[in-house]
Amino acid sequence: MIHDAIVVGAGPAGSFCAYRLARAGASVLLLEKAAMPRPKVCGGALSRKVFRLVDFDLSPIVHNGVRRATLTYGNELSVDVDLQEAGACTTVREEFDAWLAERARSAGASVLEGTRFIGAEETADGVSVETSAGIFRCRHLVGADGVGSQVRKRMMGGGSVRQVPSVELLLRVSPSVLDRYRDRALFDLGGMSRGYGWIFPKRDHLNVGIYSPLGARQLPAQLDAFLGLHGDLRGAQPLARLGYAIPLFDRSRPLALGRTILVGDAAGCVEGVYGEGIYYAMRSGDLAARALLEAANGGSDAAARYRAAMEQTLAPELTISNWIGRAYFAFPRFSFRHLAMNPRGQRKFAGIITGDVSYRDCLRSMIRSAPRWLFTAAKA
């Protein structure tokens, strides 16, 4: 049997791509090297964009609705931003990924868990994929196997995506502290050197972490320092301390070549300010599925269709987010005072979180208001 597509990796990008393809009647094989559900390091924040993207119910895997965001700088200057009803929510990736993989299976995709991708060879009419469970044939191969993608290394000549480290801590806190964060997320934009720290509420614990788009050293020590800034976290019981790499989008890296397409972290689909990746992963999976389906119907090049779709949608947004992230965290205190403490900046922040504002909108706004920033800074 030859599948229309083999998708490697059952994270948000791979499972959603497989779901879209299977729903349209394509023959899909979804490979996952671990048994689901499997642990996955991630802050687990879902913006309203994710809910607009899917056509199935996500409520079973929602832990908390986030209606407020607290913006602070080193837990000193602070402002609360209203995200409105269901502006965002939190989940646990272990549950979320298993839920998406099951949606793909229910739509008709074949799902092989505990199956490792070994290599692949492209031929004139398809791709021969070698796995730990044997060799499978497909017309197109989708690499959704994360920041260290083996599909990318095997099929696109090696090379890794740009990435920066991050570290997070799962904390068991008292009921009163958990209730304090029940419907809000905290973003400390001075919570680490040239980066930020977060506190996200889950059903029975808090997810606390730090990240910098500029890269950073001594992250465990910086995370301990961040915890020290927020007194209500002192004495909390650590459940796990986890480090991971967050990719940064790079237009110079190939997104598709021949019969192979990269999505999600394998393609660097993470925005560069807060390190949000779930929506962008799923959106890239959706674009890949559309390109494959359109190519099957019209007989044209799926890789070219996918590259064009990315250039029209996600690539500009991710590139601009990288620019803004690097500019913001190069001068964090100045940026916080003139953006986070500004009502217009707060509205933009809320819009980014909910998905009602794009980074292109933010860039245009920053350019228009730049003279006012410079004038204010000169007087200070």
Side-chain angles (χ1 to χ4, degrees):
M1 175 182 182
I2 182 166
H3 296 278
D4 293 314
I6 292 178
V7 181
V8 180
S15 288
F16 195 57
C17 180
Y19 167 80
R20 288 290 205 214
L21 288 168
R23 274 291 300 269
S27 170
V28 186
L29 177 60
L30 176 61
L31 306 178
E32 169 56 44
K33 65 182 179 181
M36 305 289 280
R38 42 91 172 106
K40 182 68 177 179
V41 184
C42 179
L46 301 179
S47 68
R48 201 154 60 200
K49 299 189 291 279
V50 173
F51 288 79
R52 295 184 186 130
L53 186 61
V54 303
D55 57 358
F56 47 80
D57 183 20
L58 287 173
S59 61
I61 48 81
V62 170
H63 276 226
N64 287 88
V66 177
R67 296 170 177 81
R68 294 179 298 143
T70 296
L71 307 182
T72 185
Y73 188 90
N75 204 23
E76 296 174 357
L77 303 170
S78 294
V79 63
D80 279 338
V81 178
D82 183 11
L83 299 181
Q84 302 178 352
E85 188 71 18
C89 72
T90 62
T91 187
V92 170
R93 279 288 301 277
E94 182 175 348
E95 301 171 15
F96 183 69
D97 289 10
W99 182 257
L100 286 182
E102 188 55 39
R103 301 286 73 72
R105 194 195 310 268
S106 298
S110 298
V111 182
L112 278 185
E113 300 176 28
T115 303
R116 185 168 52 89
F117 171 84
I118 296 173
E121 181 180 355
E122 184 173 327
T123 63
D125 61 346
V127 184
S128 180
V129 181
E130 182 182 0
T131 78
S132 57
I135 295 176
F136 301 92
R137 292 274 299 159
C138 62
R139 293 182 177 85
H140 289 91
L141 176 63
V142 178
D145 50 339
V147 66
S149 172
Q150 291 300 307
V151 173
R152 183 185 63 242
K153 291 176 182 178
R154 297 283 185 176
M155 305 303 290
M156 297 188 181
S160 62
V161 296
R162 294 172 54 215
Q163 55 190 270
V164 293
S166 184
V167 63
E168 69 176 34
L169 190 63
L170 309 185
L171 286 181
R172 180 85 68 192
V173 296
S174 68
S176 61
V177 172
L178 191 61
D179 191 60
R180 198 174 305 150
Y181 288 95
R182 182 69 62 185
D183 68 343
R184 74 179 174 111
L186 182 141
F187 297 82
D188 191 331
L189 300 171
M192 69 167 292
S193 174
R194 302 198 304 173
Y196 85 101
W198 71 80
I199 303 174
F200 292 164
K202 303 302 172 77
R203 192 176 294 126
D204 58 358
H205 68 278
L206 297 178
N207 181 291
V208 181
I210 55 173
Y211 154 78
S212 168
L214 302 176
R217 297 179 179 179
Q218 300 178 322
L219 262 68
Q222 293 210 52
L223 178 58
D224 290 338
F226 173 61
L227 293 174
L229 293 174
H230 297 271
D232 52 3
L233 301 183
R234 296 193 187 108
Q237 177 188 357
L239 301 176
R241 184 188 289 257
L242 306 159
Y244 56 107
I246 295 180
L248 298 176
F249 186 74
D250 185 347
R251 268 185 161 140
S252 69
R253 297 292 186 184
L255 297 174
L257 183 66
R259 292 180 175 271
T260 302
I261 289 173
L262 300 178
V263 296
D265 281 6
C269 291
V270 175
E271 61 86 49
V273 178
Y274 302 107
E276 178 194 355
I278 293 177
Y279 165 75
Y280 296 98
M282 294 178 67
R283 182 73 172 115
S284 68
D286 179 52
L287 293 175
R290 291 173 183 270
L292 291 170
L293 293 169
E294 290 168 0
N297 291 331
S300 59
D301 185 353
R305 284 180 177 271
Y306 177 64
R307 287 192 296 266
M310 287 289 289
E311 278 299 318
Q312 292 168 9
T313 55
L314 289 190
E317 189 74 356
L318 294 172
T319 300
I320 292 171
S321 77
N322 284 342
W323 296 343
I324 293 176
R326 295 181 72 84
Y328 187 102
F329 289 113
F331 307 98
R333 183 177 287 275
F334 174 82
S335 300
F336 185 86
R337 287 184 176 276
H338 293 279
L339 289 175
M341 298 301 289
N342 180 293
R344 178 182 294 176
Q346 292 162 21
R347 290 193 295 272
K348 295 294 184 185
F349 172 86
I352 286 290
I353 295 299
T354 62
D356 298 317
V357 173
S358 71
Y359 278 109
R360 279 175 278 197
D361 296 332
C362 289
L363 182 62
R364 284 191 288 264
S365 179
M366 290 172 66
I367 292 171
R368 285 196 299 267
S369 60
R372 290 194 293 275
W373 293 0
L374 296 174
F375 179 72
T376 303
K379 291 176 61 179

